[in-house]
Amino acid sequence: MKIVISSAGRRAHYVEWFRRALDWSGLRGEVIAMEYRMQSPSTGLADRAVQAPAYNSPEYPEALREWCRAERPDLFLSLNDYELQVLSGGLADDMRSLGCRVAVLDAESQPIVLDKLRMATALAERGIPTPRTALGTDVDDIRSSAGAEARFVVKHRFGSGSTGLRIVGAEELPEAVAESARTALGADGLPAAHGYEAVVVQDALPGPEYGVDGVFDVERRGEMLGVLARRKDLMRGGDTDVATTVSAALFRPAIEAIGELLRPTAAIDVDLRETAEGEPQVIDINPRLGGGYPFVHRAGADLPAALIRSAAGLEPVPALLAYRTGVSTARREEFTVIAPRQ
């Protein structure tokens, strides 16, 4: 079995864990790191490293098609939101025609999660709780109607990894939107031509924040295999630094509804925050292996092994997605030799 993990960057632990999962499953195969820059830590841990053109270059689609024709990979996973946007068009279907399972949403669903305004609208229409969301161009109306105690989240509309994020009161809102607009990107990953239209403003929720993984089969059947959840205890630079595993029961209805809306494959990473009344509301969706899954992996879950079994056509093993609750884990740095390769 050939498993490709593209754009892993610093999340090289996924390469390592998929390699271990292959061994545990008793399957022969290799984990291939596909990167634009070969200095990525993932290249040092993979069985093989492959250099690919940048996902936003004209050469990328045909280079990936040619590589898939020659290599015939079994499973392709990308950890880059903008690369997923490129794949979600006809490219992923071309790869699937060659026998590769591509963990990406279809062309109709991918734009919903890339565009945070469109996502909020789609969730609300489905009755999935989510904060009120507006464009940065509406900042004056939002501010004029806000109460004295109101708090707002400002972030990039097409952002990834909490880019452009500020949490402010009504008085600071115009400045925060203007600052976020200066660095906002468009749907194509390039600097936005109209910055204020590439910024969203949401009502800030006061409760704790959670990261939840919905795990689905890789054959595009929409079958949900499990739900994994952790409370975010400490953040640093937009990433979770410390988290504690919690029961997924409270979040399962929302993940099931999102699954029906998007028909995802492999895994989706969903961020939720509680209202003052304790109701979890969806604040972001990343249709990929997320940065928070390792906190649940350390508590006993093995998502890579579950996905490998799905790709191999084997029956699910629910125990692979079981984990201990109440386990607190802290992120740490690691160093990986990337050259010379053995």
Side-chain angles (χ1 to χ4, degrees), residues 24-39:
W24 178 88
S25 302
L27 297 171
R28 295 182 60 186
E30 60 178 339
V31 177
I32 301 167
M34 182 172 285
E35 295 285 349
Y36 168 56
R37 293 183 177 90
M38 296 304 282
Q39 291 79 18

Side-chain angles (χ1 to χ4, degrees), residues 100-323:
C100 180
R101 299 159 186 85
V102 186
V104 65
L105 301 180
D106 61 30
E108 289 72 36
S109 297
Q110 176 63 25
I112 294 175
V113 297
L114 183 68
D115 183 340
K116 292 177 174 56
L117 178 66
R118 186 171 175 180
M119 180 190 73
T121 301
L123 292 175
E125 289 175 348
R126 286 271 180 150
I128 303 171
T130 190
R132 183 180 59 170
T133 304
L135 283 180
T137 51
D138 299 324
V139 60
D140 291 336
D141 292 338
I142 297 169
R143 184 186 179 195
S144 63
S145 61
E149 302 299 319
R151 302 285 289 173
F152 300 95
V153 174
V154 177
K155 57 186 176 182
H156 290 165
R157 178 180 178 181
F158 304 102
S160 175
S162 301
T163 56
L165 180 67
R166 291 277 303 276
I167 301 176
V168 297
E171 288 300 316
E172 300 87 8
L173 188 58
E175 179 185 352
V177 170
E179 180 180 338
S180 185
R182 284 193 286 270
T183 57
L185 304 179
D188 55 2
L190 299 176
H194 305 285
Y196 276 60
E197 293 181 0
V199 172
V200 292
V201 179
Q202 292 181 326
D203 291 339
L205 303 179
E209 185 174 342
Y210 300 87
V212 181
D213 297 303
V215 187
F216 295 81
D217 74 273
V218 301
E219 295 288 355
R220 307 183 74 196
R221 294 188 298 262
E223 177 186 359
M224 191 169 79
L225 304 178
V227 181
L228 317 170
R230 61 268 170 196
R231 183 186 66 243
K232 301 182 180 185
D233 298 328
L234 182 64
M235 303 291 291
R236 179 176 60 172
D239 291 325
T240 309
D241 227 23
V242 180
T244 300
T245 53
V246 299
S247 169
L250 181 64
F251 312 104
R252 183 174 288 271
I255 302 302
E256 289 177 341
I258 291 171
E260 293 174 359
L261 170 64
L262 300 177
R263 308 294 292 179
T265 63
I268 57 172
D269 176 24
V270 181
D271 292 329
L272 304 97
R273 186 180 283 275
E274 288 184 359
T275 64
E277 295 72 32
E279 177 193 41
Q281 297 197 354
V282 176
I283 58 176
D284 204 4
I285 301 173
N286 299 298
R288 53 172 168 76
L289 297 170
Y293 164 72
F295 296 100
V296 189
H297 191 87
R298 292 305 188 198
D302 197 339
L303 188 156
L307 296 185
I308 283 174
R309 287 189 65 85
S310 179
L314 302 174
E315 286 296 315
V317 176
L320 289 174
L321 298 177
Y323 59 95

